């Protein structure tokens, strides 16, 4: 007999995407589901849509409640979950039809199975697919060396995620008994970092986890999401997050090095998100990315393509170090930012500019390829277009596990 999976979906004003989300869950090839929809005080038609689906599918249970935030909505669903496993889906995303069948068939006796996640950009195309920065396999979560790698990337394996195990709860399958235990301890006042906190607390309770490099979850960029808006209470919430996590380490682990590894990871998260969440002007923020092959640019005339965080970092470092001459800064959607009297302009300005190289300032390889193709369509020679995976300065500082003397472990 199939083991029951409780799928919890917090819903708030997501009528635009809710049909896609619910259809993808109801049409799962794994049928023994308990689908819990928590309408967190939606003011659009989301609540009605949930009720309509409940009438069509007996596996669906709807909770209507006063708005209390994502964490509060999750707790409401978790409290009534009866399945052996719990999965989470955000109401503006969707999942592949074989997601829960594959996760249940693969988890075995492990307390957690973690899979990949596809990220879709504003234009609906896949920006990247993220997997855990650990090779596929079964891991002993009680082993100190292994546990540390859950939080800091293993230097022997190149992955996309910041830590060994991604923060995303939606691409994982959890055991219900452990989930209920975790959410009793989690701080409901923490909004930004709630996934980080939950996954952290859950991992500390695991005996074994399984990692697979298959992606079933489809994450949709949604500008109205709380995770894509500045949070004026960011520092306050991060302080609460830090205290909660430190307390958990003391309760569940005697490994002093895990404490240090956690501090590395926490500092990275803090520094990398500080300027955005506090609304700090990007022109005065510290550069986060560096172009890997700077020697190639020495003394050259450079056009920087991209005005996001990577582009801003490149512009600052090129200008500060006087490594090269920045003759133009371009972007398809130029912002009003100005750095040392240089502001981004539309790409067609390069037709009147003399240059040696165009440097694509973007972190994602797929996006970089699109930029390269755009430039070539404009008549730019491929040989003068440069892109390399940017060096994350903050990651180098905070996330290098080999920076510690392993002999003390």
């Amino acid at each position: 007999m199939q083991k029951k999976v409780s799928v919890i979906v917090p819903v708030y004003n997501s009528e635009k995407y809710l049909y896609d989300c619910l259809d993808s869950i109801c049409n799962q090839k794994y049928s023994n589901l308990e689908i819990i929809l928590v309408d967190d005080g939606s003011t659009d038609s989301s609540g009605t849509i949930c009720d309509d689906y409940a009438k069509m599918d007996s596996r669906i249970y709807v909770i209507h409640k006063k708005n209390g935030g994502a964490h509060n909505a999750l707790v409401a669903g978790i409290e009534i979950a009866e399945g052996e496993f719990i999965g989470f889906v955000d109401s503006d995303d969707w999942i592949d039809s074989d997601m829960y069948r594959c996760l249940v068939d693969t988890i075995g006796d492990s307390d957690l199975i973690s899979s990949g996640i596809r990220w879709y950009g504003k234009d609906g195309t896949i920006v990247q697919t993220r997997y855990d920065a650990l090779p596929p396999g079964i891991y002993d979560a009680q082993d100190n060396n292994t546990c540390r790698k859950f939080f800091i990337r293993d230097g022997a394996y190149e992955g996309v995620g910041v830590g060994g195990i991604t923060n995303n709860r939606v691409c994982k399958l959890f055991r219900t008994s452990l989930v209920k235990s975790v959410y009793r301890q989690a701080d409901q006042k923490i909004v930004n970092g709630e996934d980080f906190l939950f996954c952290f607390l859950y991992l500390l309770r695991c005996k074994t986890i399984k990692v697979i490099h298959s992606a079933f979850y489809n994450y949709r960029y949604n500008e109205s999401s709380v995770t894509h808006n500045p949070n004026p209470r960011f520092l306050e919430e991060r302080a609460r997050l830090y205290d909660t996590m430190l307390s958990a380490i003391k309760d569940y682990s005697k490994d002093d090095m895990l404490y240090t590894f956690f501090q590395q990871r926490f500092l990275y998260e803090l520094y990398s998100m500080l300027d955005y969440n506090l609304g700090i002007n990007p022109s005065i923020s510290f550069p986060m990315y560096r172009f890997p092959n700077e020697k190639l640019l020495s003394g050259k005339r450079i056009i920087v393509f991209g005005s996001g965080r990577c582009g801003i970092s490149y512009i600052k470092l090129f200008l500060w170090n006087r490594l090269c001459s920045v003759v133009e800064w371009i972007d398809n959607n130029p912002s009003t930012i100005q750095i040392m009297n240089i502001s981004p302009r539309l790409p067609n300005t390069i037709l009147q500019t003399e240059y040696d190289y165009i440097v694509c300032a973007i972190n994602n390889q797929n996006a970089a390829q699109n930029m390269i193709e755009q430039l070539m369509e404009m008549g730019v020679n491929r040989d003068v277009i440069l892109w390399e995976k940017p060096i994350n300065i903050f990651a180098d500082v905070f996330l290098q596990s080999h920076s510690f003397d392993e002999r003390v472990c």
Side-chain angles (χ1 to χ4, degrees), residues 64 79 107 118 122 171 210 256 262 268 272 283 303 320 322 344 367 409:
H64 295 284
E79 286 178 346
I107 190 170
R118 302 185 195 95
K122 298 178 183 179
C171 55
K210 181 171 286 188
D256 291 337
F262 160 70
Y268 171 81
S272 62
S283 65
I303 294 176
W320 290 353
R322 298 182 180 180
C409 301

Side-chain angles (χ1 to χ4, degrees), residues 12-43:
Y12 181 71
N13 289 356
S14 51
E15 60 181 7
K16 182 178 179 180
Y17 306 115
L18 191 53
Y19 291 102
D20 290 342
C21 173
L22 297 183
D23 284 343
S24 72
I25 299 171
C26 293
N27 294 329
Q28 286 290 295
K29 295 176 182 177
Y30 192 87
S31 60
N32 194 11
L33 303 178
E34 174 189 48
I35 306 169
I36 303 172
L37 310 181
V38 185
D39 172 28
D40 191 35
S42 296
T43 57

Side-chain angles (χ1 to χ4, degrees), residues 268-286:
Y268 171 81
E269 299 270 356
L270 181 66
Y271 275 84
S272 62
M273 296 188 292
L274 187 64
D275 54 350
Y276 174 77
N277 278 281
L278 297 186
I280 295 174
N281 190 321
S283 65
I284 62 173
S285 62
F286 191 81

Side-chain angles (χ1 to χ4, degrees), residues 318-330:
F318 292 165
L319 294 176
W320 290 353
N321 298 335
R322 298 182 180 180
L323 174 75
C324 53
S325 175
V326 178
V327 296
E328 189 61 86
W329 186 11
I330 60 174

Side-chain angles (χ1 to χ4, degrees), residues 77-264:
I78 290 167
E79 286 178 346
I80 66 168
E82 296 180 349
E84 182 173 340
F85 302 108
I86 284 182
F88 300 97
V89 179
D90 290 338
S91 58
D92 45 3
D93 301 331
W94 75 100
I95 57 177
D96 291 355
S97 61
D98 57 347
M99 175 169 176
Y100 288 116
R101 184 185 67 179
C102 291
L103 294 183
V104 173
D105 287 348
T106 310
I107 190 170
D109 295 326
S110 296
D111 295 316
L112 169 72
I113 184 167
S114 184
S115 63
I117 180 170
R118 302 185 195 95
W119 289 60
Y120 286 79
K122 298 178 183 179
D123 60 356
T125 60
I126 297 178
V127 174
Q128 64 179 327
T129 301
R130 294 186 180 181
Y131 302 107
D132 298 308
L134 290 172
I138 300 174
Y139 293 86
D140 179 2
Q142 302 297 306
D143 177 75
N144 287 340
N145 286 323
T146 301
C147 193
R148 295 169 200 158
K149 293 177 182 178
F150 294 162
F151 306 109
I152 299 294
R153 177 183 299 151
D154 180 5
Y157 184 78
E158 183 63 32
V160 175
V162 172
I165 301 293
T166 62
N167 290 342
N168 310 98
R169 93 175 97 77
V170 292
C171 55
K172 298 173 174 61
L173 190 66
F174 306 87
R175 293 201 177 270
T176 301
S177 57
L178 290 181
V179 171
K180 290 178 181 285
S181 172
V182 166
Y183 267 91
R184 294 188 190 104
Q185 182 180 357
D187 190 334
Q188 294 194 30
K189 294 183 179 180
I190 296 173
V191 177
N192 191 312
E194 188 273 334
D195 263 14
F196 186 14
L197 175 61
F198 169 70
C199 291
F200 180 88
L201 296 177
Y202 190 93
L203 285 168
L204 289 176
R205 288 166 166 83
C206 289
K207 293 182 179 178
T208 62
I209 70 166
K210 181 171 286 188
V211 172
I212 61 174
H213 284 190
S214 298
F216 309 101
Y217 193 92
N218 302 288
Y219 171 85
R220 189 197 313 265
Y221 182 89
N222 183 356
E223 290 183 331
S224 64
S225 170
V226 67
T227 58
H228 295 135
N229 291 289
N231 177 14
R233 298 178 59 192
F234 176 73
L235 289 177
E236 174 189 344
E237 292 181 3
R238 286 287 140 168
R240 298 178 70 95
L241 184 66
Y242 185 75
D243 289 341
T244 302
M245 289 181 164
L246 282 186
S247 177
I249 289 176
K250 293 175 182 177
D251 291 341
Y252 288 92
S253 176
K254 303 300 181 184
D255 178 22
D256 291 337
M257 285 300 293
L258 178 59
Y259 175 88
T260 306
F261 272 50
F262 160 70
Q263 288 181 317
Q264 279 185 281

Side-chain angles (χ1 to χ4, degrees), residues 302-305 315 325-330 342-347 349-350 353:
I302 303 301
I303 294 176
V304 175
F305 188 1
I315 287 288
S325 175
V326 178
V327 296
E328 189 61 86
W329 186 11
I330 60 174
I342 297 180
S343 296
R345 300 195 296 171
L346 289 169
T349 59
I350 68 172
T353 306

